Amino acid sequence: MGNVEGKGSLRRRKLFVANWKMNGTTSFAEAYATFFLTHRSSVPPYAEVVFCPPTLYISTLRGIAESGCAFLGVQNVATEKQGAFTGEVSAMMAAESGCQYGIVGHSERRRFYQESESDIRAKILRLEEAGLIPILCVGETEEQRAAGQMREVLAQQLKDVASSASRLVVAYEPIWAIGTGKTPTPAEIGQTHQEMRALLQAQGCSTPTLLYGGSVTAANARDFLVLDEVDGVLVGGASLQETEFLAIIRCLEG
Ligand code: PEP
């Protein structure tokens, strides 16, 4: 990601991704869209914002993307391009609906829907074919961390993911930090991001965008975002409250 002019200095762009998961209603999505359209001038120039609502509400948020203050993302896509796959949504359909990003490999998909590493790589390819930027989620469980397997797990999840990616976003989301209120320390995140960057660069992905995700709130976002190694945050629960998410986006101001 590039730089923007801040007050007296160049400030790095940061990416803010809102993952609503399977939450919301039509009226919630309408009110959310109205809030961000009304507050679009409060989104600082350093912030690139991506909203990932449930697929059925993407069109409800389309006005935000058309106003230029944010982008849209899909939470999941099919491994296949099209055909007899009842219930699935293709990357091409997401692109046609106005999405520019697609989340892939979220730990909830890996765990509850048995998504394999090969499914995840197929989805990355589908996203790229459709012109969408993949946001690949990786992260270890508490048990893997305690057993000292974290590096091995991340290396496995990052293996061969960058072969064709023109722009790849990777979100480091330790599973034990998702929705729990627990987080790694900023120093731990910085170190993990450095190691992930090296793994991706070895695959030819010279400038991956690296996010941190897991219990990010307005109270702690700045601690992570001030780090040079952190290019942005992926926010679950706290992105469901418009004012809280806007406060996260604005946390580097001033
Ligand atoms: C997530 O599920 O991707 C996530 C980061 O959730 P939360 O912010 O609620 O921990």
Side-chain angles (χ1 to χ4, degrees):
M1 299 181 79
N3 294 317
V4 285
E5 286 290 343
K7 281 187 191 131
S9 66
L10 278 181
R11 174 165 275 167
R12 275 247 317 282
R13 295 273 289 169
K14 300 274 181 179
L15 184 62
F16 297 81
V17 180
N19 175 17
W20 289 15
K21 311 192 185 191
M22 197 175 71
N23 290 297
T25 57
T26 301
S27 58
F28 171 85
E30 283 168 356
Y32 197 99
T34 303
F35 176 89
F36 273 96
L37 281 171
T38 311
H39 290 84
R40 63 182 179 277
S41 59
S42 308
V43 174
Y46 64 75
E48 181 165 329
V49 182
V50 181
F51 294 107
C52 303
T55 315
L56 287 175
Y57 303 139
I58 287 171
S59 61
T60 314
L61 295 198
R62 206 165 168 159
I64 303 186
E66 284 165 1
S67 81
C69 85
F71 297 95
L72 294 174
V74 66
Q75 294 178 15
N76 178 43
V77 292
T79 53
E80 309 298 326
K81 280 190 186 177
Q82 62 170 43
F85 301 101
T86 301
E88 291 291 271
V89 168
S90 75
M92 196 266 299
M93 292 169 186
E96 207 187 26
S97 304
C99 290
Q100 288 88 4
Y101 287 84
I103 297 176
V104 60
H106 191 281
S107 59
E108 288 152 15
R109 303 285 324 167
R110 294 176 190 259
R111 183 167 158 223
F112 301 132
Y113 302 95
Q114 287 77 46
E115 251 178 36
S116 68
E117 292 297 339
S118 81
D119 291 335
I120 290 164
R121 276 151 197 75
K123 290 182 182 199
I124 291 175
L125 280 182
R126 295 288 93 81
L127 287 166
E128 289 170 355
E129 284 164 2
L132 300 183
I133 299 166
I135 304 173
L136 168 66
C137 299
V138 298
E140 80 287 355
T141 63
E142 197 150 31
E143 295 71 34
Q144 289 165 336
R145 190 178 182 90
Q149 295 166 347
M150 181 185 138
R151 285 192 176 79
E152 204 182 305
V153 168
L154 294 180
Q156 195 59 35
Q157 292 174 338
L158 290 174
K159 192 163 175 260
D160 298 334
V161 292
S163 46
S164 59
S166 44
R167 182 174 164 203
L168 181 65
V169 179
V170 175
Y172 170 52
E173 300 209 300
I175 296 168
W176 52 272
I178 294 181
T180 59
K182 293 192 267 182
T183 67
T185 64
E188 287 169 334
I189 294 169
Q191 173 68 28
T192 304
H193 276 209
Q194 271 179 25
E195 292 171 11
M196 294 198 320
R197 200 175 294 278
L199 286 170
L200 291 164
Q201 284 174 341
Q203 292 176 42
C205 181
S206 54
T207 52
T209 300
L210 300 186
L211 313 183
Y212 167 70
S215 295
V216 174
T217 64
N220 63 17
R222 190 181 165 90
D223 299 342
F224 310 128
L225 286 160
V226 290
L227 300 175
D228 269 350
E229 294 89 351
V230 175
D231 300 312
V233 286
L234 197 161
V235 186
S239 74
L240 290 167
Q241 296 154 41
E242 303 93 314
T243 47
E244 173 91 2
F245 189 54
L246 185 58
I248 292 172
I249 293 167
R250 299 183 65 182
C251 75
L252 293 176
E253 278 180 335

